Amino acid sequence: MTTVHEPTATVASAELSVWPASTTEPRHGDLAVGGVSLAEIADRFGTPVYVLDEAEVRDRCRTYRHAFPEAEVLYAAKAFLCRAMAHWVEEEGLGLDVCSAGELELAVTTGFPPERITLHGNAKSPRDLDTALRLGVGRIVIDSPSEIARLAAAVGPDGHQKVMVRVVPGISAGGHEKIRTGTDDQKFGLSIADGYAQHAIARILDQPQLRLTGLHCHLGSQITSVKPYLAAVRRTVGLMARLHEQHGLVLPELDLGGGHGIAYRPGEEALDLTSLARRVRTELSDACAANGLPVPRLIIEPGRAIVGPAGVAVYHVLAVKRTGSHTYVAVDGGMSDNPRPALYGVRYAPRLVGRHSTAAPARVTVVGRHCEAGDVVAADVELPDDVRPGDLLAVPVAGAYHLSMASGYNLVGRPPVAAVHDGLARLLVRRESLEDIRSRDVGL
């Protein structure tokens, strides 16, 4: 660990509204997060490097617990998972939502209680299911009819496993078509409209090893309006009412998934968590009362909204190229450590750090080092006109779906993750080395 100087001034400008709350400006042109200078982190760990503010993660966990005191909050591990993250989440009283045996085993071997973990996935492998049953996972979310018999057989005649059914309410919501999962025309879940969900539930009820505890639905990602969640409540409670009428079934749980939108750039809209909690609570109570059902326990699964704003990516500038009316600023990372701009057209607001510039702002496109024209980190953004090779650029809101989606493209190696807290920096995940890459290549 390294101790650095205490920051001298809290930055409160609108430009830094999407940065971690601990962001300060210890000297002109430099920024510190968690009391640690980003320039010093770059010097110590190299670049690219992900910086994760532990206090921001913990505070966002607590915000969810306070907003939904009666609900079970599961952190969606797919956004970002490492042993420290699992530890923080567990200490703050959240459960965990995982999508693979890898995520599950990492969490459990870290000490996360398996009974507080839910396993998802539209195509669970035999290893996924075997690992879940061996480790004693709390719930398994059934996503397709074929899973029912497979899971029942794996549980065995004398075993028991809590399950939920992922249903599709036919609601379009989300920041991009590739991350909308509440509609009937995609790979997840079982449709309410065509009766597949009810048919699957009837089959589950015929399996005594499987204990159906509730319905699950996830509408998509980067949702900034409360209305889709209210519609999902109405449609899932309507299905619960039909199940009660047909089977006498009273389900004690309703999982509304996550997908809570955050701002990536100043001025962008984010989901109002307080409004979401209040209105979902009211909608659920009213819908259950209208259908003569007891109110099920609510479950929610935030991922991005907890870890996204807690992360910052730091790069070195390698080249500046002016071509016609365009200026390209190339950095030592790109789509191998953040594929989201290429996949979803996500836009970021990078900032020069490590030195103070008095130059006028200029419109530039920050690009990566990879062999793709689509390798763009941030298009059409403002940086000082004197930006030059050797400068440091920091990109906020880099905590979610960066390392978890990082690739081995061009064999550059995935970046490390450094945690900052109270003026200390420590390594959580080391940089992927050439030796790591070579050791996997076993054939010649």
Side-chain angles (χ1 to χ4, degrees), residues 44 62 107 120 176 297 309 325 337 347:
R44 179 180 172 192
R62 293 170 193 154
H120 285 276
H176 190 280
R297 188 183 191 197
S325 61
D337 60 77
R347 303 190 66 186

Side-chain angles (χ1 to χ4, degrees), residues 80 93 107 128 160 163 178 257 292 307 343 367 371 427:
F80 169 75
D128 294 334
H160 293 88
V163 299
K178 292 182 180 178
V307 74
L343 288 174
V367 298
C371 299
L427 194 64

Side-chain angles (χ1 to χ4, degrees), residues 5 207 233 250 318 333 378:
H5 299 295
Q207 303 288 345
V233 168
V250 177
L318 298 180

Side-chain angles (χ1 to χ4, degrees), residues 244 287-294:
H244 181 251
C288 288
N291 287 280
L293 296 173

Side-chain angles (χ1 to χ4, degrees), residues 22-259:
S22 68
T23 303
T24 57
E25 190 172 17
R27 56 185 177 271
H28 284 308
D30 193 18
L31 290 183
V33 176
V36 185
S37 161
L38 294 179
E40 291 192 29
I41 289 177
D43 286 341
R44 179 180 172 192
F45 299 109
T47 58
V49 58
Y50 304 114
V51 182
L52 195 60
D53 186 341
E54 177 181 344
E56 182 86 12
V57 170
R58 289 182 179 274
D59 183 65
R60 287 176 174 273
C61 289
R62 293 170 193 154
T63 297
Y64 269 93
R65 293 298 308 133
H66 294 156
F68 293 91
E70 77 291 348
E72 184 173 357
V73 183
L74 308 178
Y75 169 66
K78 64 179 181 175
F80 169 75
L81 185 65
C82 68
R83 292 189 297 165
M85 187 70 189
H87 181 64
W88 300 342
V89 167
E90 195 271 332
E91 282 196 334
E92 296 303 332
L94 274 61
L96 203 63
D97 152 32
V98 301
C99 298
S100 71
E103 291 177 350
L104 175 56
E105 291 209 45
L106 183 99
V108 173
T109 55
T110 300
F112 204 98
E115 66 274 11
R116 288 170 53 191
I117 300 178
T118 295
L119 174 68
H120 285 276
N122 70 295
K124 302 176 192 68
S125 70
R127 183 189 166 214
D128 294 334
L129 293 178
D130 290 346
T131 302
L133 297 176
R134 172 172 56 82
L135 296 178
V137 74
R139 304 178 191 84
I140 296 175
V141 180
I142 290 175
D143 198 281
S144 65
S146 61
E147 286 183 3
I148 299 169
R150 286 173 54 211
L151 181 56
V155 171
D158 299 322
H160 293 88
Q161 175 62 53
K162 292 180 180 178
V163 299
M164 305 185 84
V165 172
R166 179 163 179 171
V167 300
V168 179
I171 296 168
S172 179
H176 190 280
E177 63 179 8
K178 292 182 180 178
I179 51 175
R180 294 174 187 161
T181 58
T183 58
D184 290 315
D185 54 353
Q186 42 74 43
K187 69 177 185 177
F188 292 102
L190 297 158
S191 173
I192 294 176
D194 62 15
Y196 280 145
Q198 290 168 266
H199 179 68
I201 289 167
R203 289 179 57 189
I204 292 170
L205 297 178
D206 286 336
Q207 303 288 345
Q209 307 98 312
L210 306 182
R211 180 188 165 198
L212 182 63
T213 66
L215 304 181
H216 176 283
C217 82
H218 179 72
L219 300 179
S221 295
Q222 198 55 9
I223 301 169
T224 57
S225 170
V226 173
K227 289 183 179 180
Y229 293 102
L230 304 183
V233 168
R234 290 190 294 270
R235 295 186 189 184
T236 51
V237 170
L239 176 57
M240 285 181 163
R242 291 192 292 276
L243 295 172
H244 181 251
E245 180 181 342
Q246 293 168 5
H247 305 286
L249 184 64
V250 177
L251 295 174
E253 296 176 337
L254 175 60
D255 191 329
L256 286 182

